[in-house]
């Protein structure tokens, strides 16, 4: 069964600290993996998209890694800010020919001053 | 910037009412999607469309229908709203190439009483 699992479910950190969110997937065939940020009450916004040949991609203070062999990805946030408080969703594209996406349930991050 | 707009941020309807959720995108995207998002379940695909007047069922189409009369507009219809359709509804669009980034609207929080 195609599945995307994220950990932890929730995380609390202090402003300025770093953190890493995890994503494991059992999706085949694999096309690409995406990380989205979703603020409370808003739609998700794309942070990164990685194909199987890419093992790291950065977007400002966000760095995503991908290990296609172990089917794991991580999202590292550096020097967290209060505005990083949001849910982070890992999404895997399961088909080269369609836009079928498999969504994780997200990690809820709270950054406190 | 891609812009996906949804007709309402919050909506309250009664059981049995017919409900229309409208989505408009301004980037000439071929593909449009309707998802619902519930706590602990992640986003689930209801319907999608690859072209005008074309629609495909997603993972949970029961109780819903869609309409795409114009390229920029994709409507989700709840023929007879039920309480289990209380949810956050998200519309998304993407360009024609499969695997392209999906851009999400702000969401409609629908409550059926």
């Amino acid at each position: 069964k195609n599945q995307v699992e994220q950990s932890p479910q929730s995380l609390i950190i202090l402003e300025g600290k770093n953190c890493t969110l995890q994503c494991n997937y059992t999706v085949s065939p694999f096309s690409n993996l995406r990380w989205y940020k979703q603020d409370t009450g808003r739609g998700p916004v794309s942070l990164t998209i990685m194909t199987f040949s890419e093992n790291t991609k950065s977007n400002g203070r966000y760095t995503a890694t991908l290990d296609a062999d172990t089917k794991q990805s991580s999202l590292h946030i550096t020097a967290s800010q209060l505005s990083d408080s949001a849910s982070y969703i890992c999404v895997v594209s399961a088909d080269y020919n369609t836009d079928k996406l498999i969504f994780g349930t997200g990690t809820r991050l709270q950054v406190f001053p | 910037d891609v812009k996906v707009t949804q007709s309402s941020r919050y909506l309250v309807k009664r059981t049995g009412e017919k409900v229309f959720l409208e989505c408009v995108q301004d980037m000439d995207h071929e593909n449009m999607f309707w998802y619902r998002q519930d706590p602990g379940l992640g986003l689930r695909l209801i319907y999608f469309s690859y072209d005008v007047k074309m629609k495909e069922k997603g993972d949970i189409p029961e109780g819903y229908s869609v309409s795409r009369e114009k390229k920029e507009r994709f409507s989700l219809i709840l023929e007879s709203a039920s309480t289990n359709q209380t949810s956050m509804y998200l519309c998304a669009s993407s360009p024609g190439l499969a695997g392209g980034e999906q851009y999400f609207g702000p969401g409609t929080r629908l409550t059926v009483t």
Side-chain angles (χ1 to χ4, degrees), chain A residues 34 36 38 41 43 46 99-100, chain B residues 9 31 37 59 99-101:
Chain A
R34 314 158 187 222
Y36 282 87
Q38 184 176 22
S46 179
D99 285 297
K100 175 79 171 170
Chain B
R9 292 299 312 279
N31 309 326
Q37 185 177 30
D59 298 320
E101 184 171 341

Side-chain angles (χ1 to χ4, degrees), chain A residues 70-87:
Chain A
T70 61
K71 299 188 176 182
Q72 295 180 324
S73 176
S74 65
L75 181 69
H76 186 75
I77 304 174
T78 303
S80 61
Q81 299 176 359
L82 298 179
S83 59
D84 292 330
S85 295
S87 286

Side-chain angles (χ1 to χ4, degrees), chain A residues 56-103:
Chain A
T56 187
K57 202 160 198 177
S58 291
N59 178 357
R61 294 179 296 102
Y62 301 101
T63 299
T65 65
L66 173 65
D67 186 334
D69 291 331
T70 61
K71 299 188 176 182
Q72 295 180 324
S73 176
S74 65
L75 181 69
H76 186 75
I77 304 174
T78 303
S80 61
Q81 299 176 359
L82 298 179
S83 59
D84 292 330
S85 295
S87 286
Y88 292 84
I89 304 172
C90 177
V91 185
V92 178
S93 178
D95 193 317
Y96 292 103
N97 296 316
T98 72
D99 285 297
K100 175 79 171 170
L101 300 179
I102 313 297
F103 289 82

Side-chain angles (χ1 to χ4, degrees), chain B residues 50-110:
Chain B
Y50 284 149
D51 202 351
V52 176
K53 295 193 185 293
M54 177 271 177
K55 60 185 178 185
E56 292 277 350
K57 292 181 180 178
D59 298 320
I60 51 165
E62 297 78 19
Y64 303 95
S65 62
V66 290
S67 171
R68 194 167 181 199
E69 295 296 320
K70 293 184 178 181
K71 189 175 185 179
E72 67 272 17
R73 188 180 297 270
F74 193 35
S75 303
L76 180 69
I77 303 154
L78 287 65
E79 294 289 342
S80 178
S82 64
T83 55
N84 62 14
Q85 291 178 311
T86 292
S87 186
M88 169 73 105
Y89 289 88
L90 290 159
C91 174
S93 72
S94 72
L97 290 174
E101 184 171 341
Q102 289 191 19
Y103 297 86
F104 286 84
T108 295
R109 172 73 65 184
L110 172 67

Side-chain angles (χ1 to χ4, degrees), chain A residues 3-7 22-26 70-73 90:
Chain A
Q3 212 163 350
V4 176
E5 295 183 343
Q6 294 185 242
S7 62
Q22 301 290 344
C23 174
N24 296 333
Y25 61 93
T26 54
T70 61
K71 299 188 176 182
Q72 295 180 324
S73 176
C90 177

